[in-house]
Amino acid sequence: MTQKQTAREDFHAFRQRLLDAGYREKDVTFSAGRATGLGLVCALPFAALLLVVYRLALVHRAHLIDISGVSFYIALVLILALSVFAHELLHGLGWAVSSGRGWKAVRFNVSALMPSCACTVPLRRGQYLLGALLPFCILGGGSALFLAVYPGTFSVVAMLVNFIAAGGDLLIAFHVMREKGALIADHPTAAGYIAFCR
């Protein structure tokens, strides 16, 4: 059985238990294109604000590195790879801690060389938000601090990567915040979640 099949079966099992217990379900999922576009809209204000601060207050002491060609792409790929790995690990850590079930509540996947993380159990709103927003808070906040302390080429690129990567998380978090009293379950295959309400 593949990991996707296992995820679907686990999801359908707890979904049926919740429905049998009297919960109603609300599907809040997005197509990949819509999640990417709306996520970008959610992330851009944070990135734009930091770029304005950088331009107005930090550029005079920026550490600009003259890299181009292959060197630039190697640096970019390294920043992306480290950021994506840390991003997914932080999702897992947040859900492992907030669920009270440790790493058993988390599933890591790799699809088309892109890692992802999903929570395998339904969580209360605050518990779910902890895992969903931890990469934004730690990596976004950390890259903003890095930009302030060491402004320059790498800190700007790292900031942009980390905020744009958190766009989809922000999109989902904005929706989850409205789900008062619901249990939130990651959808096993689509971007988004199912809210279970009584």
Side-chain angles (χ1 to χ4, degrees):
M1 188 178 301
T2 68
Q3 205 168 25
K4 269 190 179 178
Q5 289 170 324
T6 303
R8 279 194 200 103
E9 285 193 10
D10 291 347
F11 175 80
H12 289 301
F14 73 67
R15 173 183 175 267
Q16 195 56 54
R17 285 196 299 273
L18 290 171
L19 293 176
D20 290 345
Y23 284 86
R24 293 172 288 109
E25 66 180 335
K26 176 180 157 191
D27 185 322
V28 184
T29 55
F30 307 90
S31 68
R34 190 161 186 256
T36 301
L38 292 174
L40 198 56
V41 169
C42 293
L44 279 179
F46 297 98
L49 175 64
L50 286 169
L51 285 174
V52 168
V53 169
Y54 170 77
R55 184 72 182 107
L56 295 178
L58 302 171
V59 76
H60 66 281
R61 59 184 182 89
H63 302 275
L64 301 175
I65 298 171
D66 185 21
I67 57 172
S68 60
V70 175
S71 299
F72 173 78
Y73 291 108
I74 290 171
L76 182 60
V77 166
L78 283 174
I79 290 170
L80 280 168
L82 291 172
S83 295
V84 168
F85 176 79
H87 184 106
E88 299 307 328
L89 192 61
L90 286 167
H91 277 314
L93 178 63
W95 287 322
V97 169
S98 68
S99 70
R101 297 174 128 186
W103 294 103
K104 291 177 186 173
V106 175
R107 179 180 290 115
F108 292 98
N109 307 302
V110 178
S111 178
L113 298 178
M114 284 299 293
S116 64
C117 178
C119 187
T120 61
V121 296
L123 300 174
R124 292 189 309 273
R125 181 176 62 169
Q127 293 173 306
Y128 186 86
L129 286 171
L130 177 65
L133 291 175
L134 199 58
F136 171 76
C137 296
I138 301 293
L139 295 177
S143 61
L145 183 61
F146 180 43
L147 182 66
V149 171
Y150 190 82
T153 307
F154 287 120
S155 56
V156 168
V157 171
M159 180 274 295
L160 289 171
V161 165
N162 285 306
F163 277 103
I164 290 170
D169 302 333
L170 292 172
L171 170 66
I172 290 169
F174 290 145
H175 285 274
V176 168
M177 285 178 197
R178 294 183 253 171
E179 308 288 359
K180 293 181 180 171
L183 290 174
I184 309 298
D186 264 344
H187 194 281
T189 55
Y193 63 91
I194 305 292
F196 293 95
C197 316
R198 284 199 186 270

